[in-house]
Amino acid sequence: TGCASAWLALAGLEHRGLVLSSNADPQGQEKCQEHFQQALAVLPAYPRCTHNFAIYLTDIGNQREALSHLETALKRSPRVAELRSALAYVARTAGLLDVGLEAVEARDRLQGLSRAGGGLAENVHLYRGDLGRFSRSLGVHSPERAEPVLDFYRGYVHLLKGDQAGALAEFRQ
């Protein structure tokens, strides 16, 4: 059996290796999925593992299975914001933008006014064409903390609005 956190850590390393390496181990997907399943076998109600497994499944193009795992987990733990974040990601990549928006809104209700996206751009707003809401989800640039993804999207919003000078200023930060 083992420790669910250890299996999750192994799965996370495999997932990262698959994403970052151009010559990843051909059995990497199989190993990664096996490690996630080991973690869930030890602790089936492990929201972080379900979240990460759903992201992994989505990254390999299996949104249907990811949605199935999330549906089961959300029935068991409907008030876990992390599961709502995963649902938003999976749904938007599957083109289910209304489901993604509902997941974002549910997550935000659960987390209150804190930075609900966890430092990530909330692309469901972008994909729905709501630039104002997308821009607000990015927050403002922080000189104390490097946020290259958020800075990129802040600049991208300026480009979408035709503001090249504003985009350049964001990209230089």
Side-chain angles (χ1 to χ4, degrees), residues 39-68:
L40 290 169
V42 173
L43 189 59
Y46 190 1
R48 169 142 311 146
C49 187
T50 301
H51 170 279
N52 291 2
F53 190 32
I55 300 302
Y56 162 75
L57 289 168
T58 300
D59 288 349
I60 64 168
N62 196 345
Q63 287 95 332
R64 185 179 307 273
E65 187 177 347
L67 287 168
S68 176

Side-chain angles (χ1 to χ4, degrees), residues 3-128:
C3 173
S5 293
W7 287 116
L8 178 57
L10 283 171
L13 290 171
E14 287 287 343
H15 184 192
R16 191 145 188 84
L18 290 168
V19 170
L20 296 177
S21 177
S22 60
N23 60 351
D25 176 0
Q27 271 72 51
Q29 283 188 2
E30 188 177 307
K31 287 181 191 174
C32 188
Q33 188 149 341
E34 186 178 300
H35 293 149
F36 276 120
Q37 289 169 335
Q38 288 285 351
L40 290 169
V42 173
L43 189 59
Y46 190 1
R48 169 142 311 146
C49 187
T50 301
H51 170 279
N52 291 2
F53 190 32
I55 300 302
Y56 162 75
L57 289 168
T58 300
D59 288 349
I60 64 168
N62 196 345
Q63 287 95 332
R64 185 179 307 273
E65 187 177 347
L67 287 168
S68 176
H69 281 281
L70 287 168
E71 181 181 24
T72 301
L74 283 164
K75 284 179 184 172
R76 185 175 43 241
S77 305
R79 299 193 48 79
V80 177
E82 188 172 21
L83 294 174
R84 300 293 174 171
S85 289
L87 179 57
Y89 177 78
V90 175
R92 79 169 183 251
T93 64
L96 304 170
L97 299 181
D98 289 341
V99 174
L101 180 61
E102 289 171 16
V104 166
E105 290 172 345
R107 179 206 58 213
D108 291 352
R109 282 190 303 274
L110 289 168
Q111 289 185 330
L113 297 176
S114 68
R115 185 96 172 261
L120 298 175
E122 196 46 77
N123 290 10
V124 73
H125 300 307
L126 176 64
Y127 298 170
R128 291 177 53 102

